Amino acid sequence: MAVVRAGQDLNNARGSPGVVSWREFACGWGAAFVNITVTYPIYKMIFRQMLHGVQLNQAFGQIRSEGITYLYRGIFPPLAQKTISLSLMFGVYDGTKRPLVEFFGMNEYAAKSLAAMAAGSVEAVLMPFERVQTLLADAKYHQKYRNTHHAFRLIFIEQGFKELYRGLVPILWRNGPSNAMFFIMREEADARLPKRSTMVTQRTQEFLSGACIGGFISSVFYPINVLKVTMQSRIGGPYESMWVALRQVYNERDRKLRNVYKGVSMNCTRAFFSWGIVNSAYEQLKKVIY
C-alpha cells in the first residue's frame, strides 16, 4: 500500500498522464523572466549587428551614443513574449510528449520531436511581440514609436493586423526544429551526465549543459534570425519571401556568406549565458514547485 500511495503522490506532483501540468508552464515562465532581465543589453547589440551588418564595436558605439535612457527601450515585448513563450515551450512540450509515449506507445525520440514542433508552432502565436521588439530596437524608429503600446496601436491602425505577423515563415522554420534539437540534446545530457554531490556543482553542470546546447543551436539557426530581423525591420509594402530576403541580405553584404554571419559570435555568447541561465533557473524552480 505504501508503494502504491507513493506512486500516486508522484503522479499528482507531476500531473497525471495526458493532463497538462501547470508546473511546467510556471517553471518556463520564471526561467525566462530571469534570463531576459539579465541578457537584454547583449541582445540589443546583436540586433544592431544583424540589421546593419556592423562590427561589435560599432554596435556598442551606437547604443552608447544613444545613452542609458534607450538601453532597455523595447524590453517589455521580449519580456512579455519570452516569459509566455518559454512557458508554452516547456508546458506544451511536456503535455504533448507524455500522452504520445504513454497512451499511443510512440517511439520516444519521435514523440519528443513531434511535441517540440507542436510547442514551437504554438509559440509563433506570440510573434507580434517579437515584431514590435524589432522595431523598438531599431534606431530609425525611435521617434516614430514611443513605447510598446504606441507601436502596437499605430501599426494596427496604419497597416492592419496582418502587419504584426510579417516574417512569420522564418519564425516557424526556427521554432520547431530548434525546439526539437534543444529538448532531445537537453534530455540526453541530463540522462548521461553524472549527478553531482553538492548543490553548487549540480547547478554549475546544469548551467554549462544548457549553455553549450543553446550556444550551438543559436549558431546553427543564426542565418534564419538574420532573415527574420531583415523582414521585420520594414513597415508596409509587399510581403517578401525568405528567399527574396536572403538574396537581398547576401547582395547587400558584398555577396559573402561570412558577412551574413556577422554578429554570430556575440549571438553565441548571449545564447550561451541565456540558455545556461534558463536551464539552471528551470531546474531550480522545478525543485521548488514540484
Side-chain angles (χ1 to χ4, degrees):
M1 287 294 292
V3 174
V4 173
R5 180 60 181 272
Q8 290 173 339
D9 290 342
L10 181 61
N11 279 337
N12 289 335
R14 291 182 55 83
S16 301
V19 177
V20 177
S21 172
W22 65 268
R23 295 173 178 83
E24 292 294 325
F25 288 93
C27 289
W29 189 95
F33 183 87
V34 173
N35 167 50
I36 292 299
T37 54
V38 172
T39 62
Y40 184 74
I42 302 174
Y43 158 79
K44 203 159 188 179
M45 284 191 288
I46 297 164
F47 168 82
R48 296 294 174 85
Q49 288 188 281
M50 284 181 176
L51 184 59
H52 302 299
V54 297
Q55 299 295 332
L56 176 60
N57 61 335
Q58 293 173 292
F60 177 76
Q62 287 180 8
I63 293 171
R64 184 180 180 182
S65 66
E66 291 161 14
I68 192 70
T69 305
Y70 287 104
L71 179 61
Y72 274 89
R73 175 182 162 86
I75 192 175
F76 179 75
L79 194 61
Q81 186 252 339
K82 281 295 183 183
T83 50
I84 300 173
S85 178
L86 275 189
S87 177
L88 289 172
M89 177 180 167
F90 283 98
V92 173
Y93 172 76
D94 182 71
T96 304
K97 183 192 72 173
R98 286 190 293 117
L100 290 176
V101 173
E102 296 169 12
F103 285 165
F104 299 102
M106 185 177 287
N107 173 273
E108 186 178 354
Y109 289 102
K112 288 177 182 179
S113 299
L114 188 59
M117 296 290 284
S121 298
V122 172
E123 288 178 72
V125 174
L126 301 170
M127 181 191 153
F129 287 106
E130 200 166 344
R131 172 80 167 110
V132 169
Q133 175 192 355
T134 298
L135 298 175
L136 291 177
D138 189 350
K140 71 181 180 183
Y141 294 112
H142 280 178
Q143 303 307 314
K144 184 175 178 63
Y145 302 118
R146 295 193 299 270
N147 51 45
T148 301
H149 177 264
H150 184 244
F152 268 116
R153 188 170 66 86
L154 213 57
I155 293 169
F156 183 76
I157 291 172
E158 293 181 351
Q159 305 294 334
F161 182 75
K162 185 181 178 182
E163 185 68 25
L164 292 171
Y165 281 88
R166 182 185 289 268
L168 176 62
V169 174
I171 285 178
L172 290 172
W173 275 100
R174 178 197 66 187
N175 283 8
S178 65
N179 276 6
M181 288 178 67
F182 174 77
F183 281 114
I184 290 173
M185 294 172 73
R186 179 180 177 275
E187 290 174 15
E188 287 295 311
D190 185 58
R192 296 173 187 276
L193 291 174
K195 301 301 178 186
R196 302 299 176 178
S197 57
T198 67
M199 185 178 71
V200 173
T201 54
Q202 184 62 31
R203 292 289 87 77
T204 302
Q205 179 172 284
E206 289 164 358
F207 174 87
L208 291 174
S209 172
C212 292
I213 293 168
F216 171 74
I217 293 173
S218 73
S219 298
V220 170
F221 288 90
Y222 186 78
I224 294 181
N225 273 329
V226 172
L227 298 183
K228 186 266 299 183
V229 165
T230 301
M231 294 167 74
Q232 290 188 339
S233 65
R234 302 189 180 101
I235 293 289
Y239 287 80
E240 298 171 341
S241 69
M242 280 180 60
W243 311 117
V244 171
L246 177 59
R247 286 197 300 271
Q248 179 186 335
V249 170
Y250 184 67
N251 290 331
E252 286 178 351
R253 301 191 183 184
D254 301 324
R255 301 179 66 84
K256 293 179 180 177
L257 187 59
R258 70 171 181 270
N259 288 343
V260 178
Y261 279 87
K262 274 190 176 177
V264 70
S265 58
M266 190 65 177
N267 183 67
C268 183
T269 301
R270 181 198 64 85
F272 181 88
F273 287 103
S274 177
W275 284 102
I277 292 168
V278 166
N279 200 47
S280 182
Y282 173 82
E283 293 296 340
Q284 185 61 34
L285 286 167
K286 275 181 67 176
K287 290 178 171 58
V288 173
I289 292 176
Y290 277 93

